[in-house]
Amino acid sequence: MTQTDLTIKQAAELFGCSGQTVQAWIKAGRIKAYRLGETGSYRIPGPEVERVRAEWAYKPDVDAAL
């Protein structure tokens, strides 16, 4: 997997959950993300995605999904 920044939708597909779940994780501080502008959409840095995946007990085969 490349180290690119992901949208909430992309991260949700990668993690196998909904976009609302990813947004809740961001707001709870479980995932670090940044916004594009003051009210823009979120982006999740690639290294942060890898960190979350490494901490998960369940690890889907994301390379097959790409």
Side-chain angles (χ1 to χ4, degrees):
M1 178 175 185
T2 60
Q3 295 292 323
T4 59
D5 297 349
L6 301 179
T7 64
I8 287 178
K9 181 179 179 180
Q10 291 168 327
E13 290 173 5
L14 188 70
F15 297 141
C17 64
S18 72
Q20 291 174 328
T21 299
V22 174
Q23 285 179 329
W25 290 345
I26 291 169
K27 290 182 183 184
R30 288 183 63 190
I31 296 178
K32 295 177 186 172
Y34 64 92
R35 289 192 101 143
L36 299 175
E38 272 187 48
T39 58
S41 59
Y42 282 103
R43 292 294 185 271
I44 303 164
E48 181 67 4
V49 171
E50 293 300 324
R51 181 194 65 80
V52 171
R53 285 186 59 222
E55 291 179 0
W56 262 21
Y58 168 71
K59 297 177 183 161
D61 184 7
V62 295
D63 292 333
L66 298 178

